């Protein structure tokens, strides 16, 4: 559920007209609903309530400081994948002691920084990484808390570019190797075996692969926990969201139907996984990104031109793949709606950006309400992996971001100034 909805013919984010934000702050513009973030966080928190647990928001999905602060204030920890992200946690007022550090390429400098900040755990993805953490910890005279990320070799049945839990993927340590690695790591004097972790992929909409993976690793987790006195188990993140409401009918009633029962939601997560996790007696961590923030954000854009060819109706907008790369990268679907509904018969349209790439599109041949120059549209479900994956291709400045809470709104990131795009660049001496 999210808080972007029509009041009359106007799209609102909570209590604020999105069109009024676009007029005030310009486009392209990311708009986030704080109530939606909070609602999704609390739904998960609620579902896990019977267990000792910690939600570590995977901030790679959205690392805007205001988004992070609002989650930190609800008690969220963070899943970080770089020293830069950990610095952002601190800048946002989050607690490094509630952070886990994932990623296959942690540098010695990053490990040192994280150790000095006292993070909760390193989620380790290879044996050489564990050895390096041990070395750095020895130098700092500390014991580094770690968990091994198990690769359970279970297909997540999601897009191939966001599957992580099979042996085709670079992530985690092969299921069969895990036990021996714990045995060797237990002999390292600066390593503290604190937990065990797993993550099979992102945008999982079916609870089955999740359940299968947890069932597969459970006996191993139990053995390791007993042998090494582990404190936590994390089954990772990956809970998917509904991008295309046509597939979900959008209605609350739909969620109660039979076809919805296999869908991964906090409720099905609790129903299927809690009975498996509870007997472990361990603290449970989860690392959701998209579920919390995906439907809490929209990218607002303005129509520059409408170009009709014999074959196509191109709606050319001022946002582009540099602002939201997901359709180009993953063929992903984002619902596209007008900020002000005008009615009329839908027209099959391609909504495209202005970048010189054929992959710069937001949808193809989709029936959309007829629009003209100056009309504004919202690309929904753009809160996760939207702004964070944006870039300066074609020297386009990064979009502004606005956070809405009830009737309040404020800039959460200023629109980048064009000159700042090349601020770090130099004309080298011999060219002057
Ligand atoms: N934990 C680990 C170890 C991860 O690698 C990820 C995501 C997460 C948690 C959070 O997954 P989530 O709950 O957000 O599904 N850019 C892609 C998604 C990449 C996901 C990378 N890892 C997209 O736009 O769909």
């Amino acid at each position: 559920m999210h808080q972007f909805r029509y009041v009359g013919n106007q799209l609102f984010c909570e209590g604020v007209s999105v069109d009024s934000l676009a007029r005030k702050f310009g486009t392209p513009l990311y708009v986030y609903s704080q109530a939606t973030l909070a609602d999704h966080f609390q739904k998960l928190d609620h579902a896990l309530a019977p267990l000792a647990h910690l939600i570590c928001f995977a901030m790679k999905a959205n690392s805007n400081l205001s988004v992070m602060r609002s989650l930190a204030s609800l008690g969220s920890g963070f899943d970080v994948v770089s020293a830069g992200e950990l610095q952002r946690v601190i800048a946002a007022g989050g607690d490094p002691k509630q952070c886990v550090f994932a990623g296959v390429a942690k540098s010695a400098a990053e490990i040192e920084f994280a150790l000095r900040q006292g993070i909760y755990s390193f989620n380790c993805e290879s044996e050489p990484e564990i050895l390096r953490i041990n070395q750095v910890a020895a130098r700092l005279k500390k014991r580094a808390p770690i968990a091994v990320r198990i690769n359970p070799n279970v297909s997540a049945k999601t897009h191939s570019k966001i599957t992580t839990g099979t042996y085709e993927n670079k992530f985690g340590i092969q299921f069969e190797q895990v036990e021996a690695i714990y045995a060797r790591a237990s002999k390292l004097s600066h390593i503290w075996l604190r937990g065990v972790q797993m993550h099979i992929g992102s945008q999982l909409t079916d609870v089955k692969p999740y359940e299968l993976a947890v069932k597969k690793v459970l006996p191993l987790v139990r053995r390791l926990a007993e042998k090494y006195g582990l404190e936590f188990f994390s089954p990772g993140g990956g809970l998917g969201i509904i991008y295309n409401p046509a597939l979900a009918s959008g209605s609350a009633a739909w969620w109660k139907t039979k076809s919805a029962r296999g869908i991964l939601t906090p409720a099905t997560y609790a129903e299927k996984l809690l009975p498996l996790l509870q007997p472990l007696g361990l603290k449970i961590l989860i690392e959701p990104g998209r579920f919390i923030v995906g439907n809490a954000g929209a990218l607002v854009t303005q129509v520059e031109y409408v170009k009709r060819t014999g074959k196509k109706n191109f709606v050319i907008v001022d946002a582009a793949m540099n602002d939201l790369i997901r359709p180009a990268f993953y063929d992903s679907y984002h619902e596209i709606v007008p900020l002000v509904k005008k009615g009329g018969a839908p027209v099959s349209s391609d909504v495209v950006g202005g970048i010189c790439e054929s992959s710069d599109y937001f949808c193809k041949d989709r029936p959309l309400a007829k629009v003209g120059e100056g009309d504004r549209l919202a690309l929904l479900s753009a809160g996760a992996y939207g702004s964070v994956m944006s870039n300066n291709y074609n020297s386009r400045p990064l979009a502004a971001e606005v956070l809405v809470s009830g009737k309040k709104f404020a800039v959460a990131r200023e629109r980048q100034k064009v000159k700042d795009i090349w601020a770090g660049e130099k004309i080298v001496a011999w060219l002057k």
Side-chain angles (χ1 to χ4, degrees):
M1 301 307 256
H2 60 72
Q3 294 272 355
F4 288 88
R5 55 185 165 220
Y6 285 97
V7 178
N9 63 348
Q10 290 252 356
L11 186 70
F12 270 65
C13 172
E14 303 191 27
V16 179
S17 133
V18 180
D19 204 46
S20 71
L21 295 174
R23 271 187 270 122
K24 194 166 173 69
F25 300 111
T27 51
L29 179 72
Y30 274 98
V31 177
Y32 303 122
S33 153
Q34 191 179 335
T36 309
L37 293 175
D39 177 55
H40 290 166
F41 179 88
Q42 278 155 349
K43 279 200 172 107
L44 275 178
D45 209 25
H46 220 78
L48 295 173
L51 305 172
H53 68 275
L54 175 65
I55 300 176
C56 290
F57 172 62
M59 61 178 284
K60 62 170 82 74
N62 190 320
S63 55
N64 180 282
L65 295 182
S66 288
V67 167
M68 291 178 63
R69 169 69 70 103
S70 64
L71 291 169
S73 67
L74 297 172
S76 183
F78 296 93
D79 169 314
V80 309
V81 289
S82 69
E85 284 197 344
L86 189 52
Q87 287 181 56
R88 262 185 190 269
V89 170
I90 297 162
D95 181 1
K97 294 186 179 53
Q98 298 207 76
C99 288
V100 290
F101 191 166
V104 296
K106 302 172 188 86
S107 72
E110 288 182 309
I111 293 166
E112 175 166 346
F113 179 66
L115 271 172
R116 287 190 190 280
Q117 296 304 320
I119 63 161
Y120 183 77
S121 178
F122 291 90
N123 290 341
C124 299
E125 312 233 15
S126 66
E127 195 165 15
E129 179 192 328
I130 299 174
L131 295 174
R132 185 181 284 179
I133 293 173
N134 185 54
Q135 270 171 9
V136 177
R139 182 157 50 77
L140 300 183
K141 301 192 172 49
K142 287 182 185 287
R143 282 191 92 196
I146 73 155
V148 163
R149 172 173 176 179
I150 306 177
N151 182 329
N153 200 26
V154 169
S155 167
K157 297 206 173 66
T158 180
H159 192 284
S160 64
K161 286 192 183 165
I162 49 177
T163 290
T164 57
T166 77
Y167 292 168
E168 287 297 311
N169 309 121
K170 67 182 174 186
F171 302 101
I173 291 178
Q174 280 193 26
F175 182 75
E176 296 78 10
Q177 298 176 348
V178 170
E179 209 148 5
I181 287 186
Y182 270 87
R184 290 197 286 275
S186 71
K187 303 209 169 71
L188 300 172
S189 49
H190 293 272
I191 291 293
W192 166 20
L193 295 172
R194 192 169 197 179
V196 54
Q197 197 259 0
M198 159 191 111
H199 174 78
I200 58 170
S202 196
Q203 183 52 15
L204 309 187
T205 48
D206 182 355
V207 74
K208 260 260 131 35
Y210 223 107
E211 202 184 340
L212 274 178
V214 170
K215 276 190 177 150
K216 178 166 178 182
V217 302
L218 222 52
L220 173 62
V221 172
R222 198 170 294 120
R223 276 202 304 282
L224 294 172
E226 275 166 20
K227 198 156 175 194
Y228 302 109
L230 304 183
E231 180 179 303
F232 78 94
F233 170 54
S234 166
L239 280 91
I241 60 170
I242 302 293
Y243 281 98
N244 185 350
L247 300 178
S249 317
S251 70
W254 178 83
W255 288 104
K256 299 200 176 89
T257 66
K258 217 170 175 189
S259 61
R261 276 195 208 124
I263 299 278
L264 190 52
T265 63
T268 51
Y269 191 95
E271 183 191 324
K272 301 285 181 197
L273 299 184
L274 252 52
L276 301 174
L277 298 174
Q278 214 150 15
L280 280 176
L282 296 176
K283 178 168 172 177
I284 299 300
L285 262 64
I286 57 165
E287 300 132 19
R290 188 188 320 263
F291 178 80
I292 289 177
V293 82
N295 284 328
L299 174 61
V300 178
T301 185
Q302 180 162 317
V303 178
E304 293 287 0
Y305 302 101
V306 176
K307 176 160 115 178
R308 285 185 195 90
T309 66
K311 203 170 157 55
K312 293 272 192 181
N313 183 51
F314 289 110
V315 175
I316 304 170
V317 296
D318 66 358
M321 65 188 284
N322 74 298
D323 301 300
L324 178 65
I325 207 167
R326 302 193 68 259
F329 232 33
Y330 317 108
D331 295 315
S332 65
Y333 183 100
H334 288 268
E335 198 184 352
I336 301 178
V337 298
L339 300 198
V340 183
K341 270 197 219 169
K342 292 196 293 198
V347 183
S348 174
S349 304
D350 285 23
V351 177
V352 301
I355 285 180
C356 320
E357 301 271 349
S358 300
S359 54
D360 181 23
Y361 67 88
F362 293 123
C363 72
K364 286 190 171 165
D365 301 318
R366 195 184 296 173
L368 290 179
K370 195 170 167 191
V371 287
E373 263 180 60
D375 287 343
R376 297 187 192 93
L377 300 169
L379 290 114
L380 300 183
S381 311
Y385 308 107
S387 171
V388 281
M389 290 178 82
S390 60
N391 60 71
N392 289 129
Y393 192 33
N394 286 197
S395 286
R396 293 166 54 90
L398 300 181
E401 296 176 284
V402 168
L403 185 70
V404 173
S405 174
K407 287 189 169 14
K408 285 186 299 201
F409 58 85
V411 171
R413 183 179 74 186
E414 285 174 9
R415 186 173 304 285
Q416 189 179 28
K417 294 189 178 58
V418 171
K419 274 193 174 167
D420 290 344
I421 297 175
W422 58 82
E425 295 176 31
K426 306 245 182 304
I427 296 177
V428 298
W430 66 85
L431 291 175
K432 281 185 185 163

